[in-house]
């Protein structure tokens, strides 16, 4: 039986200055000192990556980026390459977050290029997929997820798929205060596992952690982490507050079913 280690990833979006980020990470490390914990990943803005990496205690905390560009270098004003991220100590990269898809109009083709470059350079993508409220109401959830997975993972070799993380984030539950019910999450994570098994007739798919993201907070974290197929969380708003994020980490550590 494959045993996965749960993941709690903090997506800070466009919040926290570099100094605020450093202070937060040091404080959370002090709270977790000598405690058993899941894999914890902080994904701050680009401006904070270097500073947090320089000040990150030797605690096993991981650093992630919220985005990347698929070219290695060039005249691409405002973009950041994989090598730049690696030099800042980044190991994980969020790709395809719903805000990137719906606000910045990133599509499956460009996200596929990002997945390739991240995997080719030895980093771990956190590949986000999810449906809108209209998609779910129309019964299109599985169709949308299948399209996002098939086109996003196009050309990704089977031997690489256990080097990625999938994050299911229903768009209708992100920053809205609307919670996905545990049964909805269980059904959708099962669909994702089945879709991955269709795409890759490979035992390695069982090793892919599938996170849930969408208004995760201490009040619903226990019910969600106990759902079969949920291997951790991609946390937004609650990851900005020390007490809330610490509570979520403890809940995941104490209640993850594996």
């Amino acid at each position: 039986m494959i045993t996965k280690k749960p993941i709690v990833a903090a997506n800070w979006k466009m919040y926290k200055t570099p100094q605020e980020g450093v202070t937060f990470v040091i404080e959370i490390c002090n709270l977790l000192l000598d405690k058993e914990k899941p894999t914890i990943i902080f994904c701050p803005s680009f401006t904070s990556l270097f500073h947090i990496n320089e000040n990150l205690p030797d605690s096993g905390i991981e650093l992630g980026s919220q985005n990347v560009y698929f070219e290695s270098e060039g005249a691409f004003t405002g973009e950041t390459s994989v090598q730049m991220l690696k030099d800042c100590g980044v190991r994980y990269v969020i790709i395809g977050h719903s805000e990137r898809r719906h606000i910045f109009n990133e599509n499956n083709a460009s996200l596929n290029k990002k997945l390739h470059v991240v995997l080719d350079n030895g980093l771990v993508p956190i590949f986000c997929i999810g449906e809108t409220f209209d998609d779910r109401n129309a019964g299109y959830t599985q169709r949308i997820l299948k399209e996002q997975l098939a086109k996003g993972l196009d050309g990704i070799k089977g031997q690489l798929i256990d080097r990625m993380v999938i994050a299911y984030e229903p768009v209708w539950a992100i920053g809205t205060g609307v919670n996905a019910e545990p049964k909805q999450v269980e059904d959708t994570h099962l669909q994702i596992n089945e879709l991955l098994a269709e795409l890759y007739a490979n035992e390695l798919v069982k090793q892919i952690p599938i996170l849930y993201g969408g208004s995760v907070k201490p009040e619903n974290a226990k019910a969600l982490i106990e759902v079969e197929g949920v291997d951790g969380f991609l946390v937004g708003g609650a990851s900005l507050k020390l007490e809330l994020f610490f509570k979520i980490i403890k809940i995941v550590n104490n209640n993850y079913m594996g």
Side-chain angles (χ1 to χ4, degrees):
M1 181 178 177
I2 296 169
T3 302
K4 301 176 188 175
K5 184 177 182 181
I7 295 170
V8 181
N11 177 17
W12 282 351
K13 308 188 181 186
M14 201 173 71
Y15 295 99
K16 293 194 182 298
T17 64
Q19 187 54 57
E20 288 170 342
V22 168
T23 300
F24 188 102
V25 172
I26 290 174
E27 288 178 347
I28 203 80
C29 286
N30 289 337
L31 287 173
L32 293 168
L33 197 63
D34 298 327
K35 290 183 173 66
E36 186 180 354
K37 53 186 173 290
T39 297
I40 301 169
I41 308 165
F42 282 102
C43 302
S45 61
F46 287 134
T47 59
S48 296
L49 290 170
F50 175 81
H51 300 279
I52 291 177
N53 184 52
E54 287 291 292
N55 291 276
L56 199 60
D58 185 18
S59 60
I61 301 292
E62 300 282 0
L63 196 57
S65 172
Q66 297 177 19
N67 195 18
V68 69
Y69 195 56
F70 50 77
E71 295 287 359
S72 59
E73 61 182 7
F76 305 107
T77 300
E79 295 296 338
T80 305
S81 72
V82 168
Q83 191 56 52
M84 293 172 181
L85 297 180
K86 290 178 76 171
D87 281 1
C88 288
V90 166
R91 186 177 176 217
Y92 292 84
V93 183
I94 298 175
I95 295 176
H97 190 280
S98 63
E99 290 159 3
R100 299 301 311 176
R101 292 178 185 266
H102 295 285
I103 297 175
F104 299 99
N105 299 314
E106 294 190 1
N107 57 35
N108 291 320
S110 66
L111 298 177
N112 175 253
K113 292 179 181 179
K114 293 183 179 186
L115 277 171
H116 275 277
V117 76
V118 166
L119 286 167
D120 289 346
N121 282 275
L123 298 185
V124 180
I126 301 175
F127 184 46
C128 300
I129 59 174
E131 81 284 11
T132 66
F133 185 73
D134 289 342
D135 292 333
R136 177 166 280 273
N137 279 350
Y140 294 157
T141 296
Q142 186 168 11
R143 190 172 85 179
I144 295 296
L145 297 180
K146 184 174 184 178
E147 179 182 3
Q148 291 174 343
L149 284 171
K151 293 184 177 180
L153 300 178
D154 185 41
I156 303 294
K157 296 178 181 178
Q159 64 265 33
L160 295 177
I161 57 172
D162 66 330
R163 282 178 34 206
M164 70 170 58
V165 177
I166 302 292
Y168 168 59
E169 41 160 29
V171 180
W172 46 273
I174 298 172
T176 62
V178 176
N179 298 325
E181 296 297 325
K183 179 59 177 171
Q184 291 175 308
V185 176
E186 181 178 7
D187 291 344
T188 308
H189 276 235
L190 177 61
Q191 290 177 23
I192 293 169
N193 275 307
E194 291 174 346
L195 290 168
L196 288 169
E198 286 179 22
L199 291 170
Y200 298 96
N202 189 326
E203 282 292 303
L204 291 177
V205 297
K206 296 178 181 178
Q207 298 180 32
I208 301 175
I210 302 179
L211 312 183
Y212 172 75
S215 296
V216 176
K217 45 189 176 288
E219 292 79 9
N220 61 10
K222 184 177 185 296
L224 289 169
I225 198 60
E226 290 177 344
V227 169
E228 184 177 357
V230 173
D231 298 309
F233 299 131
L234 179 59
V235 187
S239 73
L240 298 168
K241 298 180 180 179
L242 190 69
E243 182 182 354
L244 299 184
F245 193 56
F246 179 59
K247 284 182 179 178
I248 291 171
I249 291 170
K250 287 202 301 181
I251 289 168
V252 170
N253 191 65
N254 293 336
N255 297 280
Y256 176 59
M257 307 299 283

